[in-house]
Amino acid sequence: MTLWDLIRAALRRWPVLLAGAVATLGLVYTTTLDDGVYWSRTQVVFLAPASKAYPNALRTTSEDLIITAGAVAKAVAGPAKVTKYASPDATLVGEGTRDGWSIRLPDTGGQWAPNFAEQVLYVEVVAATAEEVESRQDEIVAQIADELDRLQRDAGVVPVNDITVTVAPESLVVHQVGGSTMRAAGMAGLLGASATFALIAVLETRARRR
């Protein structure tokens, strides 16, 4: 079927063309309603108790702190398997999440072996509004602190030797993430038009065979 054959077929089957145009316009309109999502990432840093030998808790790194951070993350996030990312910089928004949260210990290892080198938890939140992101993040950080305190009380740690947490950055930074509305509308229009003409071509081919 040539281009002119397709055009003539579309004119003959104008009800199908009209229905396809209406459906395509509706699809294009829905793409303009998406305002994107809001996303934040916060680092919860686990700090060793300060001492005369190590007065700066921020610069103290140990395997015990990393293990504790991992245990707290698992307790708060639940027993589900943690997704292994190719890079610790990967985000929830990047994997297509539109509403949710995650806690993970950054893994800088390769395909065959993990490598946890920092006593830091990445807390990410994705939601429809900035206020919801802020509220969820505050709740998650509070859960992390409560779970850490519970683990240490159960282990009989003297409070003066407690591991503590701090949030970085201290002030919440929420980003609005959204795609190009014009690009999405154009793609929706192209798909709708393609589907309409494909249907007309199928109907015309069947009619000719009969």
Side-chain angles (χ1 to χ4, degrees):
M1 179 180 291
T2 65
L3 177 60
W4 292 112
D5 291 336
L6 183 60
I7 293 175
R8 285 193 293 268
L11 293 177
R12 284 196 303 271
R13 299 181 181 276
W14 63 267
V16 177
L17 184 63
L18 180 61
V22 172
T24 300
L25 288 175
L27 183 61
V28 170
Y29 176 70
T30 58
T31 63
T32 65
L33 300 179
D34 186 6
D35 294 329
V37 295
Y38 291 85
W39 166 80
S40 73
R41 170 186 278 178
T42 299
Q43 294 184 8
V44 179
V45 185
F46 284 64
L47 305 176
S51 64
K52 291 183 179 180
Y54 301 100
N56 189 345
L58 279 171
R59 299 186 63 180
T60 303
T61 301
S62 75
E63 186 177 352
D64 290 340
L65 289 173
I66 297 172
I67 292 174
T68 301
V72 170
K74 179 62 70 174
V76 175
K81 184 178 180 180
V82 178
T83 303
K84 167 69 174 175
Y85 293 101
S87 167
D89 295 326
T91 66
L92 277 179
V93 174
E95 70 175 30
T97 301
R98 307 281 293 177
D99 186 13
W101 58 272
S102 72
I103 305 173
R104 58 190 174 92
L105 192 65
D107 183 358
T108 58
Q111 179 180 0
W112 307 111
N115 180 42
F116 303 104
E118 298 178 280
Q119 67 267 24
V120 174
L121 295 181
Y122 286 175
V123 177
E124 289 187 75
V125 179
V126 183
T129 65
E131 292 75 16
E132 191 173 357
V133 168
E134 183 174 2
S135 175
R136 284 188 188 179
Q137 181 172 287
D138 289 343
E139 291 177 4
I140 295 169
V141 171
Q143 288 179 26
I144 290 173
D146 290 344
E147 184 60 30
L148 175 62
D149 182 70
R150 186 190 67 79
L151 288 176
Q152 295 184 108
R153 298 291 76 80
D154 290 347
V157 177
V158 179
V160 71
N161 294 324
D162 272 358
I163 296 172
T164 56
V165 292
T166 186
V167 177
E170 293 183 1
S171 57
L172 177 64
V173 179
V174 180
H175 306 274
Q176 186 175 14
V177 182
S180 170
T181 302
M182 291 297 295
R183 191 178 304 156
M187 183 58 67
L190 179 62
L191 292 175
S194 300
T196 300
F197 281 103
L199 178 59
I200 291 173
V202 169
L203 293 175
E204 192 69 14
T205 301
R206 289 182 177 178
R208 289 182 178 183
R209 287 178 180 174
R210 287 197 298 268

